[in-house]
C-alpha cells in the first residue's frame, strides 16, 4: 500500500491550492479515504472524509465551505481543493485510508500560507 | 464535538520501564478508541484499535484498555525505538477527534 501526496507549497492568504494523493497496492475504489492535517509542532486534525463511491462526504467545521474533497476511482487518486486559505491552514496534509481506524497514511505534503 | 484529553503531555522514561498514557473522552465512546504512534518527521502509525486490538505487526509490549470514557495505552519494557508522540482518537462521532498527544522521551 502506497499513498503519495503532491501539490503542496507556499500560497498567499486568500489563495487556492489543490492537493493530490496517488495510491497503489490496493483496490482504491473499495476504500474510504480522508485528509488529516498537522500544523507545525501541533497535533493531528481530521479535516475531511469521502466514501468509497464518493457519494458521502464530511468536513470538519474548520474547513467547511472552503475545502472540497473528491476522488477519481479510475485513476486511483484522492484530491483536496483548498480555497480562501488562511495562515492557520499552514500544516502538513496527510492522505489517509479507512475511517473508523486509519490504517495507512501518506508521507504528507506541506502547505504554507503566508504573504 | 467529542473532546479527547490525554495525559501526561510528555514523559521521560528509561529503557525497560513500563509507561502508561491515559485518554479521557468528554462523553462515552463505547469501544471506538484508537491509538497511534508518530515518530519524529514521520507519518502516524496505527498501534491499537477498538480499545485493545493490536494492529498487525505491532509488538505485544503495546497494550490498550479501558471503557466508556477512560482509556489507557501501556508500553511494557520500553524500547529506545518507542520514542515519539502518541495520540488517541475517538471514532464514535464525526468529527473523529484526536487527543493532543503525549511525547515519550527516553532517558
Amino acid at each position: 500500500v502506497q499513498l503519495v501526496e503532491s501539490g503542496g507549497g507556499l500560497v498567499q492568504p486568500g489563495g487556492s491550492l489543490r492537493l493530490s494523493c496517488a495510491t497503489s497496492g490496493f483496490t482504491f475504489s473499495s476504500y474510504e479515504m480522508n485528509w488529516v492535517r498537522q500544523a507545525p509542532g501541533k497535533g493531528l486534525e481530521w479535516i475531511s472524509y469521502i466514501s468509497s463511491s464518493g457519494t458521502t462526504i464530511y468536513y470538519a467545521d474548520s474547513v467547511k465551505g472552503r475545502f472540497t474533497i473528491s476522488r477519481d476511482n479510475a485513476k486511483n487518486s484522492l484530491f483536496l481543493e483548498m480555497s480562501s486559505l488562511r495562515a492557520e491552514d499552514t500544516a502538513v496534509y496527510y492522505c489517509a485510508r479507512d475511517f473508523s481506524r486509519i490504517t495507512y497514511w501518506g508521507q504528507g505534503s506541506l502547505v504554507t500560507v503566508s504573504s | 464535538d467529542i473532546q479527547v484529553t490525554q495525559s501526561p503531555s510528555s514523559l521521560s522514561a528509561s529503557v525497560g520501564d513500563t509507561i502508561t498514557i491515559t485518554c479521557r473522552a468528554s462523553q462515552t465512546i463505547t469501544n471506538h478508541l484508537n491509538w497511534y504512534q508518530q515518530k519524529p518527521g514521520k507519518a502516524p502509525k496505527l498501534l491499537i484499535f477498538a480499545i485493545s486490538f493490536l494492529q498487525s505487526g505491532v509488538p505485544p509490549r503495546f497494550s490498550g484498555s479501558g471503557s466508556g470514557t477512560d482509556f489507557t495505552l501501556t508500553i511494557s519494557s520500553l524500547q529506545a525505538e518507542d520514542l515519539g508522540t502518541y495520540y488517541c482518537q475517538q471514532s464514535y462521532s464525526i468529527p473523529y477527534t484526536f487527543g493532543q498527544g503525549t511525547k515519550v522521551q527516553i532517558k
Side-chain angles (χ1 to χ4, degrees):
Chain A
V1 173
Q2 281 204 311
L3 309 173
V4 180
E5 301 94 338
S6 60
L10 176 64
V11 60
Q12 292 190 337
S16 300
L17 209 57
R18 188 193 200 208
L19 300 181
S20 299
C21 174
T23 75
S24 60
F26 64 102
T27 304
F28 179 72
S29 59
S30 297
Y31 288 88
E32 303 167 309
M33 299 294 295
N34 305 270
W35 289 97
V36 177
R37 70 183 180 183
Q38 186 171 36
K42 302 298 184 182
L44 301 167
E45 180 189 17
W46 168 85
I47 58 170
S48 188
Y49 158 91
I50 188 167
S51 63
S52 57
S53 64
T55 54
T56 300
I57 286 172
Y58 302 121
Y59 297 101
D61 286 346
S62 58
V63 305
K64 198 174 296 182
R66 301 186 299 123
F67 290 12
T68 302
I69 191 172
S70 63
R71 64 191 297 159
D72 184 336
N73 285 346
K75 295 184 177 179
N76 299 325
S77 295
L78 178 72
F79 306 101
L80 186 68
E81 195 78 44
M82 303 183 291
S83 63
S84 302
L85 283 162
R86 308 164 180 166
E88 54 265 36
D89 295 319
T90 294
V92 173
Y93 285 73
Y94 293 103
C95 167
R97 199 193 84 174
D98 302 310
F99 195 32
S100 60
R101 58 182 185 265
I102 297 176
T103 51
Y104 291 97
W105 301 69
Q107 85 288 351
S109 183
L110 177 62
V111 173
T112 303
V113 184
S114 175
S115 55
Chain B
D1 298 358
I2 296 176
Q3 308 304 315
V4 180
T5 304
Q6 282 181 239
S7 61
S9 55
S10 66
L11 65 88
S12 182
S14 300
V15 171
D17 285 352
T18 293
I19 66 168
T20 298
I21 299 168
T22 64
C23 180
R24 173 166 288 178
S26 58
Q27 64 185 76
T28 184
I29 55 173
T30 62
N31 69 333
H32 293 81
L33 192 282
N34 307 315
W35 290 97
Y36 299 87
Q37 174 195 60
Q38 186 177 32
K39 295 189 177 182
K42 300 294 187 183
K45 169 188 169 184
L46 178 65
L47 291 178
I48 289 172
F49 61 94
I51 300 178
S52 60
F53 290 86
L54 225 56
Q55 177 67 0
S56 176
V58 174
R61 64 178 180 274
F62 292 91
S63 63
S65 64
S67 64
T69 60
D70 295 307
F71 306 91
T72 299
L73 172 69
T74 299
I75 309 175
S76 304
S77 189
L78 188 72
Q79 301 297 302
E81 62 263 30
D82 297 335
L83 74 91
T85 302
Y86 293 79
Y87 295 93
C88 60
Q89 178 208 25
Q90 65 83 17
S91 57
Y92 180 81
S93 171
I94 296 167
Y96 290 171
T97 42
F98 292 88
Q100 78 277 19
T102 295
K103 186 173 184 178
V104 173
Q105 297 173 296
I106 308 297
K107 284 182 185 175

